[in-house]
Amino acid sequence: MSVILRPWQREDAPALRRAHETTADLDTQFGSSDVSTDERAADFIEAHLSFGDVAKNWAVVVDGRAVGNVGLSAIERRHQTAWAYYWLPSFARGRGYASGGLAAVSDWAHADGIFRLELGHRVNNPASCRVAFAAGFLPEGIERQKLLYGNRRFDVEIHARLATDPSPELSGLTLRTSRC
């Protein structure tokens, strides 16, 4: 089995649509965006899964098919910080793709001059917390009622990984910064 990280492509639209269709809890990742057709999913990739100066998104690709995302946003070079995030559909969870991908992206970011990486997860999402810990992100505190989904607010636990923190004992995935 081949597992790599690479920038998203429009051709990944059917896989993105399938991920959304099979996993209801991914609605929070897509917001109000409609990814119900391949064309709309391709438009979402171009608009929201960019690979630029302030945000970089890598598709988690298993045997040639995109199954999830690991990304950095709010990349700020002056203070050398960025916000990390990840998501996988239910059929790809529990295999180490998120933690391996997050570790690989973190190693890349640190090598590229980002000193502090932050992430947050809802406190009622222990699986996301396990991913953060496995990838070397240490908890720093709780932001009360930070996120609003529907009419319900959620507390968020913040984690960070610094360039000076020890690397996790986890083999990261192969990471590419070109679409090929």
Side-chain angles (χ1 to χ4, degrees), residues 6 8-21 30 34-46 49 59 64-67 87:
R6 61 143 170 84
W8 284 86
Q9 305 170 17
R10 281 188 69 85
E11 295 77 20
D12 295 323
L16 180 70
R17 181 183 45 76
R18 180 171 182 252
H20 181 261
E21 288 173 351
F30 297 106
D34 179 1
V35 294
S36 63
T37 68
D38 289 350
E39 185 62 31
R40 289 181 175 154
D43 291 345
F44 182 87
I45 289 168
E46 285 189 355
L49 297 177
R65 187 178 61 144
V67 298
W87 58 259

Side-chain angles (χ1 to χ4, degrees), residues 8-9 81 86 93 99 101 104 111 117 122 127 142 145 168 179:
W8 284 86
Q9 305 170 17
T81 60
Y86 42 88
R93 294 176 182 167
S99 56
L117 297 170
R122 293 185 323 267
I142 305 293
Q145 297 189 18
R179 296 185 188 271

Side-chain angles (χ1 to χ4, degrees), residues 27-69:
D27 282 346
T28 59
Q29 302 298 325
F30 297 106
S32 61
S33 297
D34 179 1
V35 294
S36 63
T37 68
D38 289 350
E39 185 62 31
R40 289 181 175 154
D43 291 345
F44 182 87
I45 289 168
E46 285 189 355
H48 301 288
L49 297 177
S50 63
F51 201 84
D53 292 337
V54 296
K56 295 187 184 301
N57 286 276
W58 285 269
V60 177
V61 180
V62 179
D63 292 334
R65 187 178 61 144
V67 298
N69 185 71

